[in-house]
C-alpha cells in the first residue's frame, strides 16, 4: 500500500506541476492533511520487528534451519592437477584390454609379458 501511495502522489504531482497555482493548492492540501495526522498520531504497532517483517513478506521464519552450508569446493590449482573424467571414460579405462598376438608363434600374449616377433622365445 505504501508503494501504491507513493505512485498516487507522484501521479498527482505530474498532473499539476505545469500550473503553479494548482501545484500550490495541492501543496497546501497535503500540508493540511499532514498537520491533521500530526495532531492525532496513531498508536505504534505493538508487534516485534520480526513479526512485522513476517506480515510484510507473508511467510514466517522457520524454527529449524534445514538448509546446510555447501561442501568445500575444489578450487582451480588445488594441487590435484587432474581433470574430472566422465563415466564413459572411466568405464573404457576399466575395460579388459584385448591380448596381443605374436606374429611369429601366433600365440596370444598377456600385456604384462614383453613378447613380440623380435624377442619371441621360439
Amino acid at each position: 500500500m505504501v508503494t501504491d501511495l507513493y505512485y498516487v502522489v507522484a501521479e498527482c504531482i505530474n498532473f499539476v506541476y505545469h500550473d503553479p497555482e494548482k501545484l500550490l493548492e495541492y501543496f497546501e492540501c497535503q500540508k493540511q492533511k499532514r498537520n491533521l495526522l500530526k495532531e492525532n498520531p496513531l498508536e505504534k504497532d505493538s508487534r516485534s520487528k520480526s513479526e512485522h517483517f513476517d506480515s510484510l513478506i507473508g511467510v514466517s521464519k522457520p524454527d529449524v534451519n534445514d538448509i546446510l552450508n555447501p561442501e568445500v569446493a575444489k578450487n582451480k590449482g588445488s594441487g590435484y592437477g587432474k581433470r574430472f573424467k566422465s563415466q564413459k571414460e572411466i568405464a573404457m579405462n576399466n575395460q579388459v584390454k584385448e591380448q596381443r598376438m605374436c606374429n611369429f608363434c601366433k600365440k596370444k600374449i598377456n600385456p604384462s609379458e614383453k613378447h613380440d616377433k623380435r624377442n619371441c622365445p621360439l
Side-chain angles (χ1 to χ4, degrees), residues 22-100:
K22 287 185 179 180
L23 186 61
L24 183 61
E25 183 183 332
Y26 181 73
F27 177 68
E28 292 298 326
C29 180
Q30 291 299 321
K31 266 176 68 173
Q32 287 175 3
K33 289 184 181 188
R34 182 191 64 188
N35 290 337
L36 281 173
L37 290 174
K38 276 186 177 180
E39 290 173 7
N40 302 321
L42 299 173
E43 292 183 20
K44 285 203 166 192
D45 196 0
S46 62
R47 297 182 294 180
S48 68
K49 192 174 186 180
S50 63
E51 289 173 344
H52 178 70
F53 282 120
D54 290 347
S55 69
L56 286 175
I57 297 171
V59 177
S60 62
K61 183 178 176 183
D63 295 332
V64 179
N65 186 4
D66 294 334
I67 301 172
L68 302 175
N69 291 330
E71 295 180 15
V72 178
K74 295 178 183 177
N75 295 334
K76 183 175 180 181
S78 61
Y80 292 105
K82 293 184 179 180
R83 64 182 177 82
F84 292 112
K85 294 181 179 179
S86 68
Q87 294 295 327
K88 181 179 178 182
E89 190 174 358
I90 292 171
M92 286 173 47
N93 289 341
N94 291 339
Q95 181 181 3
V96 177
K97 294 184 179 180
E98 187 178 329
Q99 294 179 338
R100 293 181 327 127

